[in-house]
């Protein structure tokens, strides 16, 4: 069984540029999570979905970040105008149902210059 | 907001020594989970328990929910145990939300 896959693995941007991250969860998992992990810190939940519905996006900086999961499978996280403070690894995770064990992808390492 | 504090921040061991990692959390948790992360690697779940003690291999997780603390004991450390150990508390709707600590960076030397 394939695990959670993410692309790209790395991204380097200038401030003000936009970037999108993609996540393909484990097949059949209805819950999908996006985390931000700054260097030498623990991950922080940004948003999570059950199927296509956003359950909690309270920690997502809504002015520049957006996340969608239109068909309840793959998901995209987008940063409209990146800032240096967005430099971090963005992790995607999925679970079979809400509250079950979360399986993490390899992450996308973003550097904003 | 909810907080999770881990200690020590970093730890250096000689191969074969034991390690004790601590985790304290600020509010009610349904469960405490321990994850392992290599530099640049994804997170791998090690142990998850709501309370009491749980073992797997050389790892022992103990959670005292009433006292809002937990620990991870690694016995007979090996060089391949080097990496970051993250503690996370589950809370929220049906336990879906994970709040992570800052991690303990473990280095095991030969």
């Amino acid at each position: 069984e394939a695990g959670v896959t993410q692309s790209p693995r790395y991204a380097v941007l200038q401030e003000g540029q936009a970037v999108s991250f993609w996540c393909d969860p484990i097949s059949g998992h209805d819950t999908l999570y996006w985390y931000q992990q700054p260097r030498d810190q623990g991950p922080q939940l940004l948003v999570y979905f059950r199927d296509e519905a956003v359950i909690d996006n309270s920690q997502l900086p809504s002015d520049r970040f957006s996340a969608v999961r239109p068909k309840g499978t793959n998901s995209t996280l987008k940063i409209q105008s990146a800032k240096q403070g967005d430099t971090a690894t963005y992790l995607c995770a999925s679970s079979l149902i809400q509250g079950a064990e979360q399986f993490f992808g390899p992450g996308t390492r973003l550097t904003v210059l | 907001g909810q907080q999770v504090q881990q200690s020590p921040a970093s730890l250096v061991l000689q191969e074969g020594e034991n390690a004790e990692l601590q985790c304290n959390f600020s509010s009610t948790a349904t469960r405490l989970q321990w994850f392992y992360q290599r530099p640049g690697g994804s997170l791998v779940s090690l142990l998850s328990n709501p309370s009491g003690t749980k073992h797997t291999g050389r790892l022992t997780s103990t959670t005292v929910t009433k006292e809002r603390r937990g620990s991870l004991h690694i016995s007979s450390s090996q060089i391949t145990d080097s990496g970051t150990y993250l503690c996370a508390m589950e809370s929220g709707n049906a336990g879906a939300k994970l709040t992570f600590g800052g991690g303990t960076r473990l280095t095991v030397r030969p």
Side-chain angles (χ1 to χ4, degrees):
Chain A
E1 179 182 275
V4 177
T5 57
Q6 293 185 243
S7 62
R9 291 297 313 277
Y10 303 93
V12 180
L13 306 173
Q14 297 291 332
E15 272 199 323
Q17 288 186 305
V19 64
S20 292
F21 309 135
W22 289 270
C23 174
D24 189 1
I26 293 173
S27 178
H29 281 197
D30 75 0
T31 310
L32 184 147
Y33 309 80
W34 283 103
Y35 292 85
Q36 180 192 60
Q37 185 178 21
R39 186 178 174 82
D40 295 330
Q41 296 184 32
Q44 180 178 1
L45 180 68
L46 292 174
V47 58
Y48 79 95
F49 299 84
R50 189 173 63 237
D51 298 322
E52 68 279 5
V54 173
I55 303 302
D56 187 343
N57 63 356
S58 58
Q59 299 303 311
L60 193 69
S62 58
D63 57 334
R64 296 183 300 109
F65 285 64
S66 62
V68 294
R69 193 185 183 200
K71 296 182 180 179
T73 51
N74 299 342
S75 177
T76 303
L77 176 70
K78 184 173 182 178
I79 306 176
Q80 286 282 14
S81 178
K83 298 182 178 179
Q84 286 187 354
D86 299 332
T87 293
T89 297
Y90 291 82
L91 295 164
C92 178
S94 70
S95 63
L96 185 61
I97 58 173
Q98 187 171 320
E101 181 182 0
Q102 295 183 28
F103 295 85
F104 284 79
T108 295
R109 185 178 297 181
L110 172 67
T111 301
V112 183
L113 303 174
Chain B
Q2 297 163 342
Q3 289 187 348
V4 178
Q5 300 290 338
Q6 289 188 245
S7 61
S10 62
L11 183 61
V12 180
L13 299 176
Q14 292 296 122
E15 195 174 15
E17 291 182 329
N18 299 331
E20 188 85 11
L21 282 55
Q22 304 294 334
C23 179
N24 292 280
F25 43 99
S26 62
S27 59
T28 303
T30 54
R31 190 190 309 258
L32 207 61
Q33 278 197 51
W34 290 92
F35 290 86
Y36 170 73
Q37 186 176 39
R38 285 199 185 280
S42 59
L43 276 67
V44 175
S45 180
L46 296 174
L47 284 162
S48 173
N49 61 326
S51 65
T53 300
K54 204 168 181 181
H55 304 274
T56 182
R58 295 181 291 108
L59 304 178
T60 301
S61 166
T62 301
T63 303
V64 185
T65 311
K66 286 184 181 179
E67 296 179 13
R68 298 181 180 173
R69 62 178 175 85
S71 64
L72 180 69
H73 182 86
I74 305 173
S75 63
S76 303
S77 62
Q78 299 176 0
I79 295 170
T80 51
D81 293 335
S82 297
T84 298
Y85 291 79
L86 292 157
C87 163
M89 57 174 277
E90 286 185 19
S91 62
N93 188 8
K97 295 182 69 170
L98 290 178
T99 301
F100 285 84
T104 293
R105 279 154 285 284
L106 175 65
T107 302
V108 181
R109 293 183 174 158

